[in-house]
Amino acid sequence: MHRTVSLVLAGVLVCVSSTVASAQQGGKPELTAEQWQQVDALLGEMTLREKAGQMVQLTLGAISSQLKNATDEHVLDVDKARAMVAESGIGSILNAADVAMPPEQWREIVTTLQEIAVEESAHGIPLIYGVDSVHGANYILGATIFPQNLTLAATWNTDLAHAMGRVTADETRAVGIPWNFAPVADVKRHPAWSRVFETLGEDPYLAGELAVAQIRGMQEPDGPDSLVLAATAKHFVGYSEPRTGRDRTPASIAHQDLEDIFVLPFRMAVDAGVRSIMVNSGEVNGVPVHANPVLLTDLLRDDLGFEGVVVTDWEDIGKLVNFHGAAADEREATRLAVEAGIDITMAPFSVSFIDHVVDLVESGELSESRIDASARRIIALKFELGLFESPLPPAGEIERIGSPEAALASLETARQGIVLLENGEGTLPLASDGPILIAGPMADRLAPLHGSWTYSWQGTDEALYPKTPTILDAMRERFGADRISTDQADAGGASAIVLCIGEDPSTEQIGDITDLTLDDAQLELVRSFEDASAPVILVLVTNRPRVITPIADIADAVLWLGQPGPYGPEALAEIVAGDVNPSGHLPFSYPQFVNALVLYNHKPSEVSEVGGSPAGKYNPLYAFGHGLSYTTFEHSGLEAVRSGDTVRVSVEVSNTGSVDGDDVVQVYVSDPPNPVTPRVKRLVGFDRVSLAGGSSERVTVEIPLDRFQRADATGINTLYTGTYIIRVGELESAIELE
Ligand code: BGC
């Protein structure tokens, strides 16, 4: 029933003993008693300075030769590397210097650095190299690129999230990198935020399930030749609802929302054994998270039970001084961040942290045991990742990068992640074999389909991209070049007009915008087809939901792609042709208005009947969970039964059309009234089912009772008593919890 993508990844038997990780809760490395003794023996031999060194992570650019042009080939500066790795004794390096590199070059770099660390540093402790492989190994040329997380989330398919994690682990570890700064566990809230595409959507439970599947895919071997990574859930916590909508600006979050919306996916990730956590660069409720022991220690360590490694985000100790105004100088910022709970500073250019820590411990402002705790976690993770036994990239593994099976997993994710939002009068699939006009700025480009974190940080440099098909190429391939025109003057004779609109890739502060509405030039382009006799099909390629309300009425059909990756165009052409039945469902509310910040799981008082204006309603252009198909599904016979600690929800799903298709059964609950006010509804379970045309199936979703908990006004998870209404589509069923 549950669609599974079976992935057999190419590759010979692994020569490295990369043994992360089982689903141990809390993310503590699983070492034998003897290995823990080795960790402690090593720690016992280390000086304070050496332990502080383990806590420093530098970017590759800090030890690279100065490039004349960004496009010049990267050259490691071995003298600088020696100074930092052997003499200063740093414990970690991250990322590409600027742009993606071929696997061979990665392996050379990692090999040189590990040789320096093992042969020339004080105790021969290997480095732990970390990278942002956030949608596939996007900094390794030739690796498999996947859709961005938001498109993945539209599949509502944990098997695909797992497959993405697995491929990412195999292809990243193949070059010797054992640590990934993924998945993003931030829940999309503010629609204008520049990192919406990096999230797994608006619902914390859906995001949590998909993040956990990615983590398991990365961390847990699924066969003797699997390579594994330590995953990082980021950015803890409350990053995604900046009040201004701009990146890294302050958030004000009530205790209840913090727990129910923002913490939940991290809690799920920690329970699944995620090995590291990256901290939110912003400020929450008046304190930058990097300086907040309540969030980083009381909540993360004591409440969530996290025992793995906490890494700062980029330069965030320095930013406590020069960005937040939280500390007078870097020494003070170092004390604040270490006391708050960080283990590794993503410095990323300087080793001044080491001097500060030594000075702070010697002056009695920081305890040495606090430094020991961090160094122990870092060294234990290195042990668990097999770096002490095999610090070098595993031999003979380049072959496994970019396999056809992995490409298929990416293609399948794009197919299931594309959402058919509108399909007036059965516009799609295209029935006629007449000419097709294709226009719009996204039609013949690669970067917007891939998004940021593709071969470079912002992903905008198409010169770095392999020549995969654009939408135009894929449509020509599927429908025949002679049927496709790009000349807008041909609109009169066209049988369909496909307009590919959206935005260029961008992320973080570079991606901040002042207006969520699609730009005027693109609105005008669509308006110019207002009187066309052929149906207008909008194809949306966006980082975040750009408002299209002024032109929505012109469209006969609308397809949302988000950033579907290199196989998005092929998947789109298959859907337009009817070879693939669309099955994606929006993992966010698509706003109708720029100011509409009400999300699907809002409080009752966020909407109002007063005045009857749409402004007072949950009134998205397309609601959370919406997605059409070429067939029709009906739900009937909803039953919800509590048995012990489980609520079993079952519903009859019928494919009432003649075409085979997938439905996503979405189970919501509306909580009983309480002075700690509930949300109107929230997702508590889901399942994707494949049904042949005309067939039916009873689908059962098991929901553990603790998923019905929600935070009280102080943020403590509570199971309130009363009548809970279980909802699937229009159906309702009540259960009593005493
Ligand atoms: C981003 C992180 C990323 C880090 C390292 C930061 O700017 O916020 O998501 O992991 O850079 O590249």
Side-chain angles (χ1 to χ4, degrees), residues 265-432:
F266 286 97
R267 199 179 276 286
M268 292 166 73
V270 171
D271 286 350
V274 73
R275 290 302 193 259
S276 76
I277 293 279
M278 188 186 292
V279 181
N280 165 14
S281 282
E283 133 177 358
V284 173
N285 297 340
V287 182
V289 182
H290 282 85
N292 192 339
V294 176
L295 295 180
L296 293 188
T297 297
D298 303 358
L299 177 62
L300 179 60
R301 300 280 187 202
D302 301 344
D303 181 355
L304 272 61
F306 181 63
E307 297 189 63
V309 167
V310 174
V311 60
T312 74
D313 202 340
W314 184 268
E315 216 170 10
D316 267 300
I317 292 188
K319 284 187 197 143
L320 289 177
V321 184
N322 55 37
F323 180 62
H324 290 289
D329 54 34
E330 208 183 88
R331 181 181 182 280
E332 176 63 2
T334 303
R335 186 185 67 74
L336 287 172
V338 173
E339 278 197 334
I342 68 103
D343 295 312
I344 293 185
T345 171
M346 191 183 283
F349 290 102
S350 142
V351 294
S352 54
F353 175 90
I354 301 174
D355 286 339
H356 293 315
V357 165
V358 170
D359 194 40
L360 286 161
V361 172
E362 283 173 353
S363 68
E365 290 164 87
L366 269 182
S367 72
E368 186 157 357
S369 61
R370 172 65 192 82
I371 303 304
D372 288 348
S374 287
R376 187 171 193 263
R377 288 186 198 114
I378 297 161
I379 291 171
L381 182 59
K382 291 181 176 183
F383 256 94
E384 190 191 37
L385 285 164
L387 297 171
F388 280 87
E389 294 159 55
S390 312
L392 303 185
E397 293 297 344
I398 288 187
E399 293 301 298
R400 69 168 71 215
I401 294 175
S403 72
E405 292 85 355
L408 207 56
S410 176
L411 170 62
E412 189 57 28
T413 309
R415 284 177 178 146
Q416 295 189 30
I418 291 176
V419 187
L420 179 62
L421 294 172
E422 196 90 62
N423 197 16
E425 293 173 32
T427 302
L428 293 173
L430 292 184
S432 138

Side-chain angles (χ1 to χ4, degrees), residues 600 638-641 647-649 666-673 678-685 703 707-708 710 720-737:
Y600 99 85
L638 176 68
E639 284 174 15
V641 180
V647 174
R648 198 161 286 127
V649 176
Q666 304 168 26
V667 183
Y668 297 90
V669 66
S670 299
D671 297 67
R679 297 168 197 286
V680 293
K681 64 174 189 174
R682 57 190 170 110
L683 186 76
V684 284
I703 304 167
R707 209 170 293 151
F708 288 81
R710 58 190 186 85
Y720 290 98
T721 55
T723 307
Y724 286 74
I725 311 293
I726 306 289
R727 302 179 188 281
V728 174
E730 299 299 310
L731 305 174
E732 289 182 18
S733 178
I735 54 161
E736 289 297 323
L737 297 184

Side-chain angles (χ1 to χ4, degrees), residues 94-95 131-132 134 139 181 184 195 198 234-235 239 247-248 278 281 312-314 316 319 346 453 457 508:
L94 87 146
N95 271 3
V131 77
D132 293 290
V134 296
Y139 278 124
F181 304 134
V184 166
R195 305 189 76 169
E198 296 187 52
K234 69 184 185 184
H235 309 79
Y239 184 29
D247 189 46
R248 288 172 161 84
M278 188 186 292
S281 282
T312 74
D313 202 340
W314 184 268
D316 267 300
K319 284 187 197 143
M346 191 183 283
W453 307 107
W457 177 36
E508 302 189 44

Side-chain angles (χ1 to χ4, degrees), residues 604-627:
S605 59
E606 283 183 76
V607 296
S608 145
E609 295 303 319
V610 181
S613 140
K617 307 267 189 310
Y618 171 59
N619 206 341
L621 192 59
Y622 304 108
F624 175 83
H626 171 72

